[in-house]
Amino acid sequence: MPSIDQVAARAGVSTATVSRALRGRSGVSPSTRDRVLAIADAMGYVASSSAAGLATGRNMAIGVLVPVVHRWFFASAIEGVDRQLRARDYDLDLYSLGGHGTNRDRVFHRSMLRKRIDGLVVLCMALTDDELTALHALEQPVIVVGGPVEGCRHISIDDRAAVRDATNHLIGLGHERIVHLAGGGSFGIEFSVPRLRAAGFGDAMEAAGLGAGPEATVFGDYTADSAKATVARVLDRAPGTRPTGIVASSDEMAFGALLAAAEAGLRVPEDLSVIGIDDHEFAGVFGLTTIRQDPVAAGERAAALLLGELEGDGRVPAAQPGPEAHELVIRRSTGPAPMLTAATSGARVQPA
Amino acid sequence: MPSIDQVAARAGVSTATVSRALRGRSGVSPSTRDRVLAIADAMGYVASSSAAGLATGRNMAIGVLVPVVHRWFFASAIEGVDRQLRARDYDLDLYSLGGHGTNRDRVFHRSMLRKRIDGLVVLCMALTDDELTALHALEQPVIVVGGPVEGCRHISIDDRAAVRDATNHLIGLGHERIVHLAGGGSFGIEFSVPRLRAAGFGDAMEAAGLGAGPEATVFGDYTADSAKATVARVLDRAPGTRPTGIVASSDEMAFGALLAAAEAGLRVPEDLSVIGIDDHEFAGVFGLTTIRQDPVAAGERAAALLLGELEGDGRVPAAQPGPEAHELVIRRSTGPAPMLTAATSGARVQPA
DNA sequence: TTGTACGCGTTATCAG
DNA sequence: CTGATAACGCGTACAA
C-alpha cells in the first residue's frame, strides 16, 4: 500500500501535485497529470480515507440506518441507496438495529457520531424522541425512506392513497365485506405508515358507503406467518360475515392470507380476493394483485438527494420531495365478489 | 462536535490523559478517569474515526462484500455479521455488487482499498482471478461465508452432505424418480456450491442404485420465478416419467416448485414431494420440508473469527473452521412416494 | 500519574 | 504550473 509520497517520489513531483492530479484539480499541466496518473495506477495507489477525511472533513461515506435488513422493503431500499452511492464513489455504512431494540443506544450514541459519515439515510422506522434528537445532533443531512418522520424529509409513496386505491379495486369488483390486514407489531416499523394506511382504507370504505368497523381491521405484524394465523381466524367467521376481500398492508402478509385461504379450502379469487401492497419479488409467482412500489428507486432517489445537498453549495436544504409513484398491478388473486345468495348474504338480499 | 482538546480543557488535564481514560488504558488515577469520563459524556464527545484511524492504523470497521443484498441468504448473513460487529463496536461497510456485473471493478479496485476497513467478509460468490488477486492485495484478513473460495477460509454448511441428506429423505420415502432442481445462472452466485450440491445429489442417487442421468437435473437460477417455470416443464412430462420428488437447491426455488405443482393440479405431497434447502423465513407458511441452515449464525461466526484474528496477537491465521450444522426439518411437502400402478410405472411393474 | 511533542497520510494555503 | 508547509484530530513514546 504505497503512500502519496512514494508516488510523488517516483513521479519526481511533490505530494501536492500528486494530490491535485489524482483529484482532478486544475493547475496541473496535462503532461505531469498523465504521468502521475499512470504511475499512481501502476503502483496501485489509493488515498487513505482516514487521512483524506481528516484533511477535508468529508468522509465520502453515508450511513444507512435500518431496523433490520431482512425484510423485502429494507433490503431493496439498501440496494437502491448502494447503487447510487457506488456510482458516485461514496461508501455505505450500514447500521442495523437487528430487529430487537438491543444496541439501539450504542448505534445512536456512539457509532453514528464517529464522524465516519457525511449524511444519513434512515429506512422507515419509528424513532423515539431521544433518538430523534440524537439524529439532529449529528448536524448532518438526514433523509428518511419510508414514512413521514417528524422534522425530516422523506421519500415514500402516498401510503394513504395507495391503500385507498387497493381498497377501491376490491370495491369496484363488487366486494362489500372487506377486511384490512394491517401491519404494526413487533419491531419499530410501526408508526405513521400503519396509521396512514388505515386511514386510506377508511377513506375508501366510507366513500363507498360501506362499514369499516373495528371488525374490519386485523393485524398481521408485516409477516406472512403472523398474517396467515390472523387470516385463518377471520376466514373462520360465519359465511355471512366472512369477508370476500382482503386488503393486506404488505405483500408478505398477503402471501400469508393466500396460504390461509388455501388451507381453509377457499378458492382465490372465486371465494376470496386478496390484494397486497409492494409488488414483492414473490408477488408474481403467487399471482398476487398488488399496489406496486419501488423501494430500490426510492433508495436511489434518497441517496441522490442527500448527495446533491452535500455536494451542493450548501445552503439549499432541499424541500420535501413529492411522493413516489405507486401503481395497481392486477394478477389472479382478485376477482368479482362472489354472488350473494340468500343463504350467505344475511340481511342484504339481492332482488332478482 | 467537541474535540479532544476541549474535553481536556474542561477536565483540566492533557489530551493524552483524556485519550488514556477514554480508551481504558492503565496509568490514570481512578478519580481523574471518572472525571474525564463524566465530562466527555456530558459533552457528547466521540473520537473522530478518521483521526483515530490515522493514528492507530486501525479503522474499527470491516467490509462485507455481497453480490446482492436482496436474497434471503445474503440478507441473513449480513444481519449476522452486523450483530457481531456491533457488539464489538465495529462498523460495517457494505459493498454490494448489485446483481449485475456492473461496477465490480470500481468496488474491487477503488472503494475497498481505501484503507477504510480492517478486514473483509465475502458472502458466497464467484470471483474472477483478477478479483481474487485484488482481495489478496488488500493484505487484510478475508473470510468467506458460503462456499469454498480458492485460497480463503470459509464458513458454510457441508453443501454436499446437505443435498445428500435431502435426497436420502426422499429416497427413504420410497421415491425413485427424483429430480434435482439446481441453482446457478444469472449473477455470480454460481460456482463451487452448485457443483458440490449436484455431487451430493449424485452420491445419494447412486448409493440407492437409482439413475441420475442428465434428465435428473434442471436449473432454476435460485429464484422462485425461474424455478416455477422450469418445474412446470418437468411436471409436463408423461406420468410415467414425471418425477415424484424434487430436491431443490434452495427454498426459494422450492416455493416455485410448489406453486408450479399447484397450477398443474398436482397434490403435495400425495402426487409430488418437494424438499428444499435453507429453511427460508417463508418455509414455515409453505409447509416446506427442508434442510435448515442458519446464515445469521454463519455471519456471526465469520465476523467473530475475523475480529479474533484482528485483535489477536497477529500471527495466528486461524485455520479453516469445520462446517456449520445443517438439519432436516420435516413439514408437509414431503410424503411417501405415490403407489406405482402398471399404468404409470412404465417398465417397472411391482409384483402383486 | 501526568504532560509534551511528534507522527499518522492528505489536503489546502500561499509563495515562487 | 509547482513546491514547501501548515493544519486536520488523535494516539503514544518519552520525559517529567
Side-chain angles (χ1 to χ4, degrees):
Chain A
M1 300 238 189
S3 66
I4 200 172
D5 324 70
Q6 314 188 26
V7 178
R10 282 271 237 120
V13 295
S14 72
T15 63
T17 299
V18 174
S19 178
R20 280 190 284 253
L22 258 34
R23 315 188 67 217
R25 299 300 202 204
S26 63
V28 183
S29 77
S31 61
T32 26
R33 176 186 305 282
D34 289 348
R35 188 157 42 87
V36 170
L37 253 47
I39 291 183
D41 193 55
M43 297 179 71
Y45 170 77
V46 180
S48 148
S49 69
S50 299
L54 229 207
T56 61
R58 315 184 65 252
N59 304 83
M60 297 300 283
I62 81 109
V64 178
L65 183 57
V66 307
V68 42
V69 351
H70 207 94
R71 206 104 287 157
W72 175 81
F73 180 89
F74 302 124
S76 304
I78 292 174
E79 199 84 65
V81 172
D82 178 274
R83 192 171 298 178
Q84 180 68 213
L85 256 38
R86 205 60 62 198
R88 302 243 222 146
D89 214 47
Y90 270 73
D91 281 332
L92 155 15
D93 261 41
L94 187 67
Y95 301 101
S96 169
L97 264 18
H100 308 71
T102 341
N103 76 12
R104 285 184 80 112
D105 239 51
R106 188 192 304 276
V107 169
F108 276 95
H109 294 333
R110 299 193 57 76
S111 307
M112 273 176 21
L113 307 115
R114 264 191 276 199
K115 305 175 175 106
R116 200 185 252 300
I117 59 178
D118 301 319
L120 186 67
V121 176
V122 178
L123 296 197
C124 178
M125 44 185 293
L127 266 26
T128 67
D129 286 344
D130 184 49
E131 292 166 349
L132 219 50
T133 357
L135 241 49
H136 289 302
L138 277 180
E139 294 174 352
Q140 285 182 358
V142 173
I143 189 162
V144 174
V145 175
V149 160
E150 181 175 355
C152 300
R153 289 156 307 165
H154 71 279
I155 306 273
S156 73
I157 57 171
D158 182 337
D159 286 286
R160 186 164 184 164
V163 174
R164 190 192 307 134
D165 291 352
T167 311
N168 279 335
H169 171 64
L170 256 33
I171 292 173
L173 287 167
H175 293 267
E176 301 190 338
R177 286 196 308 278
I178 306 176
V179 158
H180 175 42
L181 179 52
S186 53
F187 39 10
I189 307 183
E190 54 151 335
F191 66 136
S192 48
V193 174
R195 271 205 313 280
L196 287 170
R197 297 195 171 174
F201 176 70
D203 290 349
M205 293 297 275
E206 193 170 337
L210 299 171
E215 288 246 323
T217 298
V218 296
F219 293 89
D221 199 22
Y222 282 118
T223 70
D225 244 343
S226 157
K228 183 181 172 191
T230 298
V231 171
R233 274 195 301 280
V234 170
L235 296 181
D236 219 36
R237 294 181 188 167
T241 355
R242 178 201 297 156
T244 65
I246 293 184
V247 177
S249 229
S250 80
D251 280 2
E252 298 194 25
M253 292 197 290
F255 301 152
L258 253 23
L259 292 163
E263 290 194 3
L266 261 37
R267 293 163 308 162
V268 172
E270 290 82 358
D271 303 318
L272 180 74
S273 283
V274 176
I275 184 171
I277 286 191
D278 277 346
D279 201 25
H280 186 285
E281 62 169 316
F282 285 1
V285 281
F286 270 101
L288 178 70
T289 295
T290 191
I291 301 284
R292 170 183 301 158
Q293 68 167 319
D294 186 349
V296 175
E300 285 191 82
R301 187 156 170 229
L305 214 94
L306 210 56
L307 261 42
E309 200 166 319
L310 276 169
E311 297 179 341
D313 303 307
R315 294 287 65 79
V316 196
Q320 166 63 39
E324 295 283 291
H326 67 264
E327 173 195 6
L328 175 64
V329 179
I330 300 179
R331 296 204 179 88
R332 305 185 307 278
S333 70
T334 53
M339 288 303 177
L340 295 175
T341 70
T344 61
S345 68
R348 182 189 315 240
V349 179
Q350 298 290 321
Chain B
M1 299 241 189
S3 65
I4 200 172
D5 324 69
Q6 313 188 29
V7 178
R10 282 270 238 123
V13 297
S14 72
T15 63
T17 300
V18 174
S19 178
R20 283 190 282 253
L22 258 34
R23 316 191 73 222
R25 301 300 200 197
S26 62
V28 183
S29 78
S31 62
T32 25
R33 174 185 306 282
D34 289 348
R35 189 157 41 86
V36 170
L37 253 47
I39 291 183
D41 193 55
M43 298 179 71
Y45 170 76
V46 180
S48 147
S49 68
S50 300
L54 231 205
T56 61
R58 316 184 65 251
N59 303 82
M60 296 301 281
I62 81 109
V64 179
L65 182 58
V66 307
V68 40
V69 352
H70 208 97
R71 207 103 289 157
W72 176 80
F73 181 88
F74 302 123
S76 305
I78 292 173
E79 198 84 65
V81 172
D82 179 273
R83 191 172 297 177
Q84 180 68 213
L85 255 38
R86 206 58 61 199
R88 302 242 221 146
D89 214 47
Y90 270 74
D91 280 332
L92 155 15
D93 260 40
L94 187 66
Y95 300 100
S96 169
L97 264 16
H100 308 71
T102 341
N103 77 10
R104 286 183 78 115
D105 239 51
R106 189 193 303 278
V107 168
F108 276 96
H109 293 332
R110 299 195 56 77
S111 306
M112 270 174 27
L113 308 110
R114 266 194 274 197
K115 305 176 174 105
R116 202 185 248 303
I117 58 178
D118 301 319
L120 186 68
V121 176
V122 177
L123 296 197
C124 180
M125 44 187 290
L127 265 26
T128 66
D129 286 345
D130 184 49
E131 292 166 349
L132 220 51
T133 355
L135 242 49
H136 289 303
L138 277 179
E139 296 175 350
Q140 285 183 359
V142 173
I143 188 161
V144 174
V145 176
V149 161
E150 181 175 353
C152 299
R153 290 155 306 165
H154 72 278
I155 306 274
S156 74
I157 57 170
D158 181 335
D159 285 287
R160 184 165 186 163
V163 175
R164 191 191 306 134
D165 291 353
T167 310
N168 280 334
H169 171 64
L170 255 34
I171 292 174
L173 286 167
H175 292 268
E176 300 191 339
R177 287 196 306 279
I178 306 176
V179 158
H180 176 42
L181 179 51
S186 55
F187 38 12
I189 307 183
E190 54 150 337
F191 66 135
S192 49
V193 174
R195 271 207 310 281
L196 287 170
R197 294 194 174 175
F201 176 69
D203 290 350
M205 293 298 276
E206 193 170 338
L210 298 172
E215 289 247 323
T217 297
V218 295
F219 294 89
D221 200 23
Y222 281 120
T223 71
D225 245 342
S226 156
K228 184 181 171 190
T230 298
V231 171
R233 274 195 300 279
V234 170
L235 296 182
D236 219 35
R237 294 180 189 168
T241 353
R242 178 200 298 155
T244 65
I246 293 184
V247 178
S249 230
S250 82
D251 280 2
E252 298 194 25
M253 292 197 290
F255 300 152
L258 253 24
L259 292 164
E263 290 194 3
L266 261 37
R267 294 163 304 163
V268 172
E270 291 80 358
D271 303 318
L272 180 73
S273 283
V274 175
I275 184 170
I277 286 191
D278 276 348
D279 201 25
H280 185 285
E281 62 169 319
F282 285 0
V285 280
F286 271 101
L288 179 70
T289 294
T290 191
I291 302 284
R292 168 184 300 158
Q293 67 167 322
D294 186 348
V296 175
E300 286 191 83
R301 188 157 169 227
L305 214 93
L306 210 57
L307 263 42
E309 199 166 321
L310 276 169
E311 298 179 340
D313 304 307
R315 295 285 66 77
V316 197
Q320 167 61 40
E324 295 283 289
H326 67 263
E327 173 195 6
L328 175 65
V329 179
I330 299 178
R331 297 205 178 87
R332 302 186 309 278
S333 69
T334 52
M339 287 303 176
L340 294 176
T341 71
T344 62
S345 67
R348 184 186 312 242
V349 180
Q350 299 289 322

